[in-house]
Amino acid sequence: MNTTTATGADILQDFSELADVRIGLDASVRSTSVRALNRLLAHTMAIRDAYKKAHWQTSGATFYELHLLFDKHYNEQVLIMDSLAERVQTLGGVAFALAQDVADESAIARAPRGRESARAQLARLLDAHETILIDARPLARASADAGDDGTNDLIVSQVVRSNELHSWFIGEHLAAQARTAD
């Protein structure tokens, strides 16, 4: 389908449409996986942005250490984001790409515009990782049950494992901050 929008832009595929791709999966399975992956993509885009905000605005005694950690995790979330978007496209879907998509789809709490303490940044990031992990695990199981091994592998090997590791690092920093505050 090729349509033209009010601004004159040619649309090759509407967001809600699924392209016919030959990867051995029924359209219903691919459609379900596309919706699930786009949700994880929106979460990943939200946490990526939270990491960059924290990277730019961290302060205090652990500034340098957190500044580097936040940037490392940001870059790793970018890689996950790219893998999720490419899987959506592989399944014949259209991947989320805009800030409005994130705002509409992700349940990750938005950070305030102001500068937060390192402790608040860490707590917010820990909550965001937990949101992703709570959503990702049942989506991985559902994709495996539907025979979509590629989506299952991506969710387990990249989304779950990376977010568990990031959550552990952030949790350890948060615990260390609590110990020094006592």
Side-chain angles (χ1 to χ4, degrees), residues 1-5 9-15 17-19 89 92 94:
M1 174 183 172
N2 191 2
T3 60
T4 304
T5 65
D10 287 336
I11 303 295
L12 301 177
Q13 180 181 350
D14 284 334
F15 181 79
E17 288 184 2
L18 200 61
Q89 300 296 131
V94 177

Coordinates of all heavy atoms in Angstrom, one line a residue, residues 1-5 9-15 17-19 89 92 94:
M1 N 0.8 -1.2 0.0 CA 0.0 0.0 0.0 C 0.9 1.2 0.0 O 1.8 1.3 0.8 CB -0.9 0.0 1.2 CG -1.7 1.2 1.4 SD -2.6 1.1 2.9 CE -3.2 2.8 2.9
N2 N 0.6 2.2 -0.8 CA 1.3 3.4 -0.9 C 0.3 4.6 -0.8 O -0.5 4.7 -1.7 CB 2.1 3.5 -2.2 CG 3.1 4.6 -2.2 OD1 3.3 5.4 -1.3 ND2 3.8 4.8 -3.3
T3 N 0.3 5.3 0.3 CA -0.6 6.4 0.5 C 0.2 7.7 0.6 O 1.4 7.7 0.9 CB -1.5 6.2 1.7 OG1 -0.7 6.1 2.8 CG2 -2.4 5.0 1.5
T4 N -0.5 8.8 0.5 CA 0.1 10.1 0.7 C -0.6 10.8 1.8 O -1.8 10.9 1.9 CB 0.0 11.0 -0.6 OG1 0.6 10.2 -1.7 CG2 0.8 12.3 -0.4
T5 N 0.2 11.4 2.8 CA -0.3 12.1 3.9 C -0.7 13.5 3.6 O -0.3 14.0 2.5 CB 0.7 12.1 5.1 OG1 1.8 12.8 4.7 CG2 1.1 10.6 5.5
A9 N 3.8 13.3 2.3 CA 4.8 12.2 2.5 C 4.2 10.9 2.0 O 3.0 10.6 2.2 CB 5.2 12.1 4.0
D10 N 5.0 10.2 1.3 CA 4.5 8.8 0.8 C 4.7 7.8 1.9 O 5.8 7.7 2.5 CB 5.4 8.4 -0.4 CG 5.0 9.1 -1.7 OD1 3.9 9.7 -1.8 OD2 5.9 9.2 -2.6
I11 N 3.6 7.1 2.2 CA 3.6 6.1 3.2 C 3.6 4.8 2.5 O 2.7 4.4 1.8 CB 2.4 6.2 4.2 CG1 2.3 7.5 4.8 CG2 2.4 5.0 5.2 CD1 3.4 7.9 5.8
L12 N 4.7 4.0 2.7 CA 4.8 2.7 2.0 C 4.1 1.6 2.8 O 3.6 0.6 2.2 CB 6.3 2.3 1.9 CG 7.1 3.3 1.1 CD1 8.6 2.8 1.1 CD2 6.6 3.4 -0.3
Q13 N 4.0 1.7 4.1 CA 3.3 0.7 4.9 C 2.7 1.4 6.1 O 3.4 2.0 6.9 CB 4.3 -0.4 5.4 CG 3.7 -1.4 6.2 CD 4.7 -2.5 6.7 OE1 5.9 -2.5 6.2 NE2 4.3 -3.3 7.6
D14 N 1.4 1.3 6.3 CA 0.8 1.9 7.5 C 1.3 1.2 8.7 O 1.6 0.0 8.7 CB -0.8 1.8 7.4 CG -1.4 2.8 6.5 OD1 -0.8 3.8 6.3 OD2 -2.5 2.5 6.0
F15 N 1.3 1.9 9.9 CA 1.8 1.3 11.1 C 1.1 0.0 11.5 O 1.7 -0.9 11.9 CB 1.8 2.3 12.2 CG 2.3 1.8 13.5 CD1 3.7 1.7 13.7 CD2 1.5 1.3 14.5 CE1 4.2 1.2 14.9 CE2 2.0 0.8 15.7 CZ 3.4 0.7 15.9
E17 N -0.3 -2.2 9.6 CA -0.2 -3.2 8.6 C 1.0 -4.1 8.8 O 2.0 -3.7 9.3 CB -0.2 -2.6 7.2 CG -1.4 -2.0 6.7 CD -1.3 -1.5 5.3 OE1 -0.2 -1.7 4.7 OE2 -2.3 -1.0 4.8
L18 N 0.8 -5.4 8.4 CA 1.9 -6.3 8.5 C 2.3 -6.7 7.0 O 1.4 -7.1 6.3 CB 1.4 -7.6 9.2 CG 2.4 -8.5 9.8 CD1 3.3 -7.8 10.9 CD2 1.7 -9.7 10.5
A19 N 3.6 -6.5 6.7 CA 4.0 -6.8 5.4 C 4.1 -8.4 5.3 O 4.3 -9.1 6.3 CB 5.4 -6.2 5.1
Q89 N 10.8 -5.2 12.2 CA 10.9 -5.1 10.7 C 11.0 -6.5 10.0 O 10.3 -6.8 9.0 CB 12.0 -4.2 10.3 CG 12.0 -2.8 10.8 CD 10.8 -2.0 10.3 OE1 10.1 -1.3 11.1 NE2 10.6 -1.9 9.1
G92 N 7.8 -8.2 9.6 CA 6.9 -7.5 8.7 C 6.2 -6.3 9.3 O 5.3 -5.7 8.6
V94 N 6.1 -2.5 11.6 CA 6.8 -1.2 11.5 C 7.2 -0.9 13.0 O 6.3 -0.9 13.9 CB 5.8 -0.1 11.0 CG1 6.4 1.3 11.1 CG2 5.4 -0.4 9.6

